[in-house]
Each structure stands twice: as structure tokens, then as C-alpha cells.
Amino acid sequence: ILQAWGRLEEAMALHKKEEAVCLQLGLQSDLAHSWWNQGHVFNAQRNPAAAREKWRAALEIFTKLNMPRERDAVRAELDRLGKSAASGS
């Protein structure tokens, strides 16, 4: 909701708290979802390098946990990001 309202810093702050909890409790799939969402916030902030880093980390976990729907969605985001960078947009 915060991201949809354009309140990206607040959205990221909540994702960082979520990330810390997931790391502390060892919740791998939730951690990957957090990183996936962080990637969307970074992308909205026009920070493709940070988005790529988070999405690659999420992709690694989704692949390891055999979560094909999530894995494929993250791959699609990475592909779109790569195409944007190649076209200069």
C-alpha cells in the first residue's frame, strides 16, 4: 500500500524490518518474498542495480526451495530490467 501511494522510503523501512525478522527466524521463503518486494521498491526509486541485487537473491532462494511460480516471476522481472537497461530507459 505504501508503495502504491508513492511512500517508497516508508515501504522500504517496513521491508527491512521484515527482512531482519526473516533472517532471525530462518524463514527462507518469506525472506525471498521480502527481497522480491524490495526489488520493486528499488526499481520504483530508479535504482536498477539494487533491484537486480535483491531480485537475484530472491531468485536463488525460490530456485533452491523449488517455488517455480515465484522463480519465474522474478526471472521475468530481471529480464525486463535487462531489456530496459539495454534500451537506455
Side-chain angles (χ1 to χ4, degrees):
I1 292 172
L2 291 171
Q3 184 176 343
W5 290 345
R7 295 165 57 179
L8 302 177
E9 291 79 20
E10 291 174 80
M12 185 58 76
L14 288 177
H15 286 308
K16 287 297 188 179
K17 287 180 182 181
E18 175 185 44
E19 176 182 5
V21 169
C22 291
L23 287 167
Q24 183 178 16
L25 298 177
L27 303 172
Q28 290 294 297
S29 67
D30 293 325
L31 178 62
H33 279 99
S34 180
W35 286 342
W36 185 7
N37 290 322
Q38 287 180 44
H40 286 290
V41 174
F42 280 128
N43 199 40
Q45 292 174 323
R46 300 188 189 278
N47 187 344
R52 187 177 296 107
E53 177 185 330
K54 292 298 180 181
W55 285 338
R56 284 181 177 160
L59 177 61
E60 184 177 321
I61 292 174
F62 288 143
T63 300
K64 181 178 79 172
L65 296 178
N66 194 26
M67 299 174 72
R69 184 176 36 183
E70 291 85 349
R71 179 201 62 215
D72 293 347
V74 173
R75 277 188 186 152
E77 293 294 346
L78 285 166
D79 287 346
R80 276 191 287 276
L81 190 61
K83 289 176 185 170
S84 293
S87 69
S89 13

